[in-house]
Amino acid sequence: MCAICNFKLDFSVGHPLALKIAVAARKAIDAGLIDAVDTTEGALSAARMRLSAIEALNLLQARVETAHGEAALLALPDFYVLLIENDTWGFFHATTVGFDPDIVPEMPDVTATEDALHSNIVITSEAALRAWLDGRFQLARALEDDLFVIDAPQTHAASLTQMLASAEAATLAVG
């Protein structure tokens, strides 16, 4: 499993682009492209939503690890994935045996203007991630419709886009 980040802050670790993704996700839900995440109320709803988000991150991790050999994984930059429904962050750091589940990352830097300091972040909704993993739409559409936004310096953004494209291609080849 990738590192699921529990940042210790007195405020939410959101992302300036989260609203953009939320609007795109709502449009996709209204169009029937993706299914809304269950947000029923109740004493355990927050825990259920968190577990569901972690499961989605684990599915993404498995898809990426399956599609990439050791050298390709190690060539990836460290990156975060933000699922906007409940601000669930996952951190991905590749090792020779997949992504490191024990790493404790720093808080992502979402505002740095200097490339070396800005974190590499894939921002999406859990609903969109699950629909993409299920093959309901392709990566090109996810990026075009702002269902996935890659906030990273140009070279790392290209690498993360290629990582997702490779994961998608591997799935399409099998299915």
mmCIF file of all heavy atoms in Angstrom, residues 2 9 15 17 21 27 45-46 52 57-58 71 73 82 86 96 170:
data_model
loop_
_atom_site.group_PDB
_atom_site.id
_atom_site.type_symbol
_atom_site.label_atom_id
_atom_site.label_comp_id
_atom_site.label_asym_id
_atom_site.label_seq_id
_atom_site.Cartn_x
_atom_site.Cartn_y
_atom_site.Cartn_z
ATOM 1 N N CYS A 2 0.439 2.266 -0.677
ATOM 2 C CA CYS A 2 1.151 3.539 -0.637
ATOM 3 C C CYS A 2 0.968 4.146 0.749
ATOM 4 O O CYS A 2 0.162 3.686 1.545
ATOM 5 C CB CYS A 2 0.592 4.478 -1.698
ATOM 6 S SG CYS A 2 -1.147 4.879 -1.446
ATOM 7 N N LEU A 9 -2.410 18.981 11.171
ATOM 8 C CA LEU A 9 -2.597 20.412 11.002
ATOM 9 C C LEU A 9 -3.890 20.849 11.654
ATOM 10 O O LEU A 9 -4.806 20.049 11.845
ATOM 11 C CB LEU A 9 -2.674 20.770 9.510
ATOM 12 C CG LEU A 9 -1.406 20.606 8.702
ATOM 13 C CD1 LEU A 9 -1.695 20.932 7.251
ATOM 14 C CD2 LEU A 9 -0.331 21.528 9.215
ATOM 15 N N HIS A 15 -6.123 21.783 -1.802
ATOM 16 C CA HIS A 15 -5.331 22.149 -2.960
ATOM 17 C C HIS A 15 -6.077 23.245 -3.688
ATOM 18 O O HIS A 15 -7.306 23.184 -3.806
ATOM 19 C CB HIS A 15 -5.109 20.938 -3.865
ATOM 20 C CG HIS A 15 -4.086 21.188 -4.909
ATOM 21 N ND1 HIS A 15 -4.365 21.924 -6.049
ATOM 22 C CD2 HIS A 15 -2.786 20.833 -4.983
ATOM 23 C CE1 HIS A 15 -3.269 21.994 -6.781
ATOM 24 N NE2 HIS A 15 -2.302 21.354 -6.156
ATOM 25 N N LEU A 17 -6.594 23.725 -6.663
ATOM 26 C CA LEU A 17 -7.348 23.244 -7.823
ATOM 27 C C LEU A 17 -8.489 22.295 -7.450
ATOM 28 O O LEU A 17 -9.190 21.798 -8.329
ATOM 29 C CB LEU A 17 -6.403 22.550 -8.803
ATOM 30 C CG LEU A 17 -5.333 23.453 -9.420
ATOM 31 C CD1 LEU A 17 -4.345 22.624 -10.243
ATOM 32 C CD2 LEU A 17 -5.966 24.534 -10.269
ATOM 33 N N ILE A 21 -11.704 20.503 -9.814
ATOM 34 C CA ILE A 21 -11.943 19.064 -9.966
ATOM 35 C C ILE A 21 -13.349 18.727 -9.462
ATOM 36 O O ILE A 21 -14.048 17.911 -10.057
ATOM 37 C CB ILE A 21 -10.867 18.234 -9.242
ATOM 38 C CG1 ILE A 21 -9.560 18.204 -10.029
ATOM 39 C CG2 ILE A 21 -11.297 16.799 -9.053
ATOM 40 C CD1 ILE A 21 -8.725 19.362 -9.947
ATOM 41 N N LYS A 27 -20.163 17.626 -12.927
ATOM 42 C CA LYS A 27 -20.641 17.564 -14.312
ATOM 43 C C LYS A 27 -20.631 16.121 -14.816
ATOM 44 O O LYS A 27 -21.569 15.684 -15.487
ATOM 45 C CB LYS A 27 -19.769 18.432 -15.218
ATOM 46 C CG LYS A 27 -19.986 19.904 -15.057
ATOM 47 C CD LYS A 27 -19.067 20.695 -15.991
ATOM 48 C CE LYS A 27 -19.223 22.180 -15.781
ATOM 49 N NZ LYS A 27 -18.272 22.955 -16.601
ATOM 50 N N SER A 45 -19.960 7.274 8.897
ATOM 51 C CA SER A 45 -19.843 7.663 7.487
ATOM 52 C C SER A 45 -18.457 8.200 7.151
ATOM 53 O O SER A 45 -17.916 7.874 6.094
ATOM 54 C CB SER A 45 -20.924 8.670 7.107
ATOM 55 O OG SER A 45 -20.733 9.892 7.783
ATOM 56 N N ALA A 46 -17.869 9.005 8.008
ATOM 57 C CA ALA A 46 -16.530 9.543 7.729
ATOM 58 C C ALA A 46 -15.501 8.417 7.651
ATOM 59 O O ALA A 46 -14.638 8.419 6.773
ATOM 60 C CB ALA A 46 -16.131 10.560 8.788
ATOM 61 N N SER A 52 -12.955 3.838 1.942
ATOM 62 C CA SER A 52 -13.229 3.744 0.515
ATOM 63 C C SER A 52 -12.159 4.485 -0.286
ATOM 64 O O SER A 52 -11.686 3.992 -1.319
ATOM 65 C CB SER A 52 -14.619 4.311 0.214
ATOM 66 O OG SER A 52 -14.893 4.238 -1.157
ATOM 67 N N LEU A 57 -7.085 4.311 -3.634
ATOM 68 C CA LEU A 57 -5.650 4.558 -3.788
ATOM 69 C C LEU A 57 -4.882 3.243 -3.927
ATOM 70 O O LEU A 57 -3.934 3.148 -4.717
ATOM 71 C CB LEU A 57 -5.111 5.371 -2.615
ATOM 72 C CG LEU A 57 -5.553 6.834 -2.569
ATOM 73 C CD1 LEU A 57 -5.150 7.472 -1.241
ATOM 74 C CD2 LEU A 57 -4.988 7.611 -3.746
ATOM 75 N N ASN A 58 -5.296 2.226 -3.194
ATOM 76 C CA ASN A 58 -4.654 0.914 -3.316
ATOM 77 C C ASN A 58 -4.882 0.303 -4.701
ATOM 78 O O ASN A 58 -3.995 -0.338 -5.260
ATOM 79 C CB ASN A 58 -5.158 -0.040 -2.234
ATOM 80 C CG ASN A 58 -4.571 0.270 -0.884
ATOM 81 O OD1 ASN A 58 -3.465 0.792 -0.774
ATOM 82 N ND2 ASN A 58 -5.310 -0.051 0.166
ATOM 83 N N ALA A 71 12.527 -0.813 -13.340
ATOM 84 C CA ALA A 71 13.217 0.387 -13.838
ATOM 85 C C ALA A 71 12.237 1.533 -14.081
ATOM 86 O O ALA A 71 12.525 2.687 -13.743
ATOM 87 C CB ALA A 71 13.991 0.065 -15.117
ATOM 88 N N LEU A 73 9.301 1.994 -12.618
ATOM 89 C CA LEU A 73 8.831 2.492 -11.329
ATOM 90 C C LEU A 73 9.866 3.406 -10.684
ATOM 91 O O LEU A 73 9.536 4.480 -10.181
ATOM 92 C CB LEU A 73 8.522 1.340 -10.372
ATOM 93 C CG LEU A 73 7.129 0.742 -10.411
ATOM 94 C CD1 LEU A 73 7.002 -0.398 -9.416
ATOM 95 C CD2 LEU A 73 6.061 1.773 -10.172
ATOM 96 N N LEU A 82 -4.323 13.296 -4.432
ATOM 97 C CA LEU A 82 -5.336 13.879 -3.566
ATOM 98 C C LEU A 82 -6.704 13.484 -4.086
ATOM 99 O O LEU A 82 -7.038 13.760 -5.238
ATOM 100 C CB LEU A 82 -5.224 15.408 -3.535
ATOM 101 C CG LEU A 82 -6.385 16.154 -2.869
ATOM 102 C CD1 LEU A 82 -6.545 15.766 -1.397
ATOM 103 C CD2 LEU A 82 -6.197 17.667 -3.017
ATOM 104 N N ASN A 86 -12.895 13.824 0.509
ATOM 105 C CA ASN A 86 -12.644 13.959 1.950
ATOM 106 C C ASN A 86 -11.171 14.251 2.245
ATOM 107 O O ASN A 86 -10.663 13.892 3.299
ATOM 108 C CB ASN A 86 -13.143 12.734 2.715
ATOM 109 C CG ASN A 86 -12.457 11.456 2.296
ATOM 110 O OD1 ASN A 86 -11.649 11.442 1.372
ATOM 111 N ND2 ASN A 86 -12.761 10.371 2.984
ATOM 112 N N THR A 96 12.410 -0.855 -5.288
ATOM 113 C CA THR A 96 12.625 -2.001 -6.184
ATOM 114 C C THR A 96 11.507 -3.038 -6.090
ATOM 115 O O THR A 96 11.388 -3.884 -6.961
ATOM 116 C CB THR A 96 13.975 -2.691 -5.889
ATOM 117 O OG1 THR A 96 13.984 -3.096 -4.515
ATOM 118 C CG2 THR A 96 15.139 -1.753 -6.168
ATOM 119 N N ALA A 170 -1.939 -0.979 -20.260
ATOM 120 C CA ALA A 170 -1.784 -2.353 -19.760
ATOM 121 C C ALA A 170 -3.151 -2.973 -19.453
ATOM 122 O O ALA A 170 -3.386 -4.142 -19.721
ATOM 123 C CB ALA A 170 -0.891 -2.376 -18.528
#
